[in-house]
Amino acid sequence: MTPLLELRDVQGWYGKSHILRGVSLQVGAGETVALLGRNGAGKTTTLRAAAGLLGKVAGALRFDGNDIVGGVSHRIARAGLCLVPKHRGIFAALTVDENLRLARRPGSPWDLDAVLTMFPALAARRRTPGGKLSGGEQQMLAIARALVNHPRLLMLDEPTEGLAPVIVDRLVDIMLALKRHGLPMLLVEQNLAVCRAVADRHAILDEGRIVWTGDNAAMAEADAVIERHLTLERSGTSQEQAE
């Protein structure tokens, strides 16, 4: 079966800095894939390359069978490849309701009522500016905004970073609900427990290359790989911008 999203030998640069050095990765229909790696490994850069937000990209990058290398970001998003960025990107001066209404697209299975039911904390704060929300509420708004935009594949960049455990648990429940709905996801996440709870497959990125892939059963037996490529004790000095 043809994957919904396919990266093959993808190279990516920030200016003269060569960050992605041959990333090959696939996400199939209804599948959740977790992309793991230390800070600076190139995880965020991989998502930005797929979303059309990286200035220079080479290699093969296809979404739903269509070549999207060099594609314009808004057209890629319109095709259904939606990114929830690491720093959320909500409009701080607009209310929750305005953020959602600005992003909604006809035909999305997640209309305003659906996402406010999914995120009751947002329903209670519809008239609150995005900048006045807590970190967890801002993350929920960022995901809700992506859902009303009719995603066919959702890319989530560090959705649980810096959040309280109770909010992390709530976001895991949301991701599992999206899985049950059949929405494919590519998840960048540092929390291994979250990855194991949500993902079908895992891919480890190190110095701009995929160095390991496997399912949950394989991950449970991959202590040596985790120690080598994920633990902080062995972390290098890569630039933060490579993240």
Side-chain angles (χ1 to χ4, degrees):
M1 182 180 296
T2 302
L4 184 58
L5 177 66
E6 181 179 17
L7 290 75
R8 189 167 65 251
D9 194 28
V10 170
Q11 313 283 326
W13 292 260
Y14 285 114
K16 294 182 179 180
S17 298
H18 190 183
I19 306 302
L20 304 182
R21 298 175 176 270
V23 174
S24 295
L25 180 69
Q26 296 182 352
V27 183
E31 184 180 36
T32 296
V33 176
L35 184 59
L36 301 144
R38 298 190 191 103
N39 290 338
K43 305 184 301 296
T44 291
T45 306
T46 299
L47 298 191
R48 289 176 59 83
L53 296 172
L54 199 62
K56 184 178 179 182
V57 179
L61 213 170
R62 303 181 70 81
F63 179 63
D64 196 23
N66 298 310
D67 184 6
I68 57 173
V69 170
V72 181
S73 58
H74 71 268
R75 291 179 180 169
I76 293 173
R78 188 178 301 157
L81 184 55
C82 293
L83 170 64
V84 177
K86 185 173 183 177
H87 299 296
R88 298 154 190 162
I90 62 172
F91 295 104
L94 300 183
T95 66
V96 167
D97 198 62
E98 289 167 339
N99 268 276
L100 294 174
R101 290 183 182 278
L102 189 64
R104 65 178 177 174
R105 290 178 57 206
S108 175
W110 295 279
D111 59 16
L112 294 182
D113 289 339
V115 296
L116 291 174
T117 298
M118 184 177 290
F119 298 101
L122 298 182
R125 308 202 68 184
R126 292 184 66 166
R127 308 304 175 194
T128 302
K132 299 293 186 180
L133 301 176
S134 69
E137 289 168 339
Q138 288 184 3
Q139 186 64 68
M140 292 177 188
L141 178 56
I143 296 173
R145 189 180 58 177
L147 293 176
V148 299
N149 198 36
H150 200 178
R152 298 179 57 214
L153 190 153
L154 187 63
M155 298 191 295
L156 299 164
D157 193 358
E158 303 272 11
T160 71
E161 183 181 34
L163 300 182
V166 65
I167 304 298
V168 172
D169 289 345
R170 176 61 181 148
L171 289 175
V172 167
D173 289 343
I174 292 297
M175 287 185 276
L176 291 173
L178 296 176
K179 279 175 61 74
R180 290 192 294 270
H181 195 277
L183 179 63
M185 288 179 281
L186 178 56
L187 170 67
V188 164
E189 181 55 64
Q190 297 278 12
N191 188 324
L192 287 179
V194 170
C195 294
R196 290 183 172 115
V198 174
D200 303 298
R201 287 192 298 113
H202 311 270
I204 296 177
L205 191 66
D206 199 355
E207 296 184 350
R209 298 180 177 86
I210 299 293
V211 296
W212 183 90
T213 61
D215 59 13
N216 276 320
M219 176 67 85
E221 302 295 328
D223 291 346
V225 172
I226 291 171
E227 181 180 359
R228 180 177 180 183
H229 296 289
L230 298 181
T231 56
L232 294 176
E233 288 80 2
R234 290 173 173 260
S235 62
T237 59
S238 301
Q239 294 290 328
E240 177 67 23
Q241 68 171 357
E243 220 359 64

